[in-house]
Amino acid sequence: MGRSALTLAAATRRRLRVASAVLLPALAVLALLAYGFTREPRYLESPMLGRPAPAFTLALFDGRTLRLEDLRGQVVFLNFWASWCPPCRAEAPALEMAWQRVKDQGVMFVGISTQDEEDRARGFLDEFGITYSNGHDPGGRIAIDYGVWGLPEAFFIGPDGRITYKHIGTLGPGLIRAKLEEARRGVVSTAQGRGEYQSTR
């Protein structure tokens, strides 16, 4: 092979290396962007799993005041909802049914109405015959502390006060039972769950 042919081959190899160095990272970025477009922009894995649940004081619709710290030692199912949210309406009967099954087993259900009008929230509770503790978060402060962005959104809190599971969207009875039992045993889920939800306003 002549000197010019060797020079040409070397130049071609250099061009291929340069092209690879530029194209491979660009393709990786494009792949990440394509993946991102398939996901809800605000859907991020919660950093709260395994961490202490943010403390709050909630004014309940029945006139009492509930403090999360007073529930230490119990499993807590915390559900954020709104009366205008179709998935919240769809899951309401299942939540009440689940509550009736576990209310005497060291479990506390707490509902928090957020981004809603108080009278509409009260009407929602009456319509679905909800009997577990519920209160109103008028300024959305509690929802913000929990990073809520979809409704309904639920948190399972173990007896030690740590969040063991987070679920965005509707929950079925089987999953509720399983996650309550995991919370009782202090088992922290490796990822949050997702069902049908309505983005917050």
Side-chain angles (χ1 to χ4, degrees), residues 73-87:
Q74 299 182 68
V75 172
V76 177
F77 172 78
L78 182 63
N79 184 255
F80 291 88
W81 59 274
S83 64
W84 49 263
C85 156

Side-chain angles (χ1 to χ4, degrees), residues 3-27:
R3 185 184 296 265
S4 61
L6 287 172
T7 303
L8 182 59
T12 300
R13 282 195 298 273
R14 276 197 304 274
R15 281 197 296 272
L16 285 173
R17 281 196 298 269
V18 170
S20 297
V22 171
L23 287 176
L24 288 177
L27 288 173

Side-chain angles (χ1 to χ4, degrees), residues 3-80:
R3 185 184 296 265
S4 61
L6 287 172
T7 303
L8 182 59
T12 300
R13 282 195 298 273
R14 276 197 304 274
R15 281 197 296 272
L16 285 173
R17 281 196 298 269
V18 170
S20 297
V22 171
L23 287 176
L24 288 177
L27 288 173
V29 169
L30 287 174
L32 284 172
L33 285 173
Y35 175 69
F37 285 129
T38 67
R39 295 173 65 82
E40 160 70 48
R42 294 184 289 179
Y43 186 81
L44 298 171
E45 286 297 331
S46 175
M48 301 178 75
L49 294 178
R51 295 187 180 175
F56 63 81
T57 298
L58 180 67
L60 301 178
F61 288 116
D62 64 8
R64 294 177 298 135
T65 297
L66 181 147
R67 296 188 311 163
L68 180 63
E69 63 192 55
D70 293 338
L71 304 180
R72 186 63 63 91
Q74 299 182 68
V75 172
V76 177
F77 172 78
L78 182 63
N79 184 255
F80 291 88

Side-chain angles (χ1 to χ4, degrees), residues 168-187:
I168 300 162
T170 52
L171 280 160
L175 185 58
I176 293 173
R177 285 194 301 272
K179 293 303 178 181
L180 286 175
E181 182 55 33
E182 288 181 6
R184 188 189 311 278
R185 292 186 284 117
V187 176

Side-chain angles (χ1 to χ4, degrees), residues 10-201:
T12 300
R13 282 195 298 273
R14 276 197 304 274
R15 281 197 296 272
L16 285 173
R17 281 196 298 269
V18 170
S20 297
V22 171
L23 287 176
L24 288 177
L27 288 173
V29 169
L30 287 174
L32 284 172
L33 285 173
Y35 175 69
F37 285 129
T38 67
R39 295 173 65 82
E40 160 70 48
R42 294 184 289 179
Y43 186 81
L44 298 171
E45 286 297 331
S46 175
M48 301 178 75
L49 294 178
R51 295 187 180 175
F56 63 81
T57 298
L58 180 67
L60 301 178
F61 288 116
D62 64 8
R64 294 177 298 135
T65 297
L66 181 147
R67 296 188 311 163
L68 180 63
E69 63 192 55
D70 293 338
L71 304 180
R72 186 63 63 91
Q74 299 182 68
V75 172
V76 177
F77 172 78
L78 182 63
N79 184 255
F80 291 88
W81 59 274
S83 64
W84 49 263
C85 156
C88 300
R89 302 181 70 79
E91 94 169 346
L95 295 188
E96 176 61 24
M97 188 179 302
W99 165 242
Q100 292 298 329
R101 288 179 177 161
V102 302
K103 64 182 181 179
D104 299 319
Q105 300 174 20
V107 174
M108 185 70 174
F109 275 34
V110 178
I112 299 182
S113 163
T114 188
Q115 295 189 347
D116 209 349
E117 296 174 18
E118 187 172 339
D119 58 339
R120 290 178 183 270
R122 288 180 182 275
F124 176 97
L125 297 176
D126 290 341
E127 178 181 350
F128 292 102
I130 303 300
T131 61
Y132 55 88
S133 296
N134 266 272
H136 190 49
D137 182 23
R141 183 77 257 163
I142 303 172
I144 290 169
D145 287 346
Y146 278 79
V148 172
W149 59 265
L151 296 175
E153 197 159 314
F155 295 82
F156 291 73
I157 303 169
D160 63 354
R162 291 187 309 146
I163 294 172
T164 59
Y165 182 64
K166 173 184 176 179
H167 191 92
I168 300 162
T170 52
L171 280 160
L175 185 58
I176 293 173
R177 285 194 301 272
K179 293 303 178 181
L180 286 175
E181 182 55 33
E182 288 181 6
R184 188 189 311 278
R185 292 186 284 117
V187 176
V188 178
S189 297
T190 57
Q192 64 193 21
R194 186 174 180 181
E196 184 182 351
Y197 68 92
Q198 178 80 42
S199 292
T200 54
R201 293 173 172 171

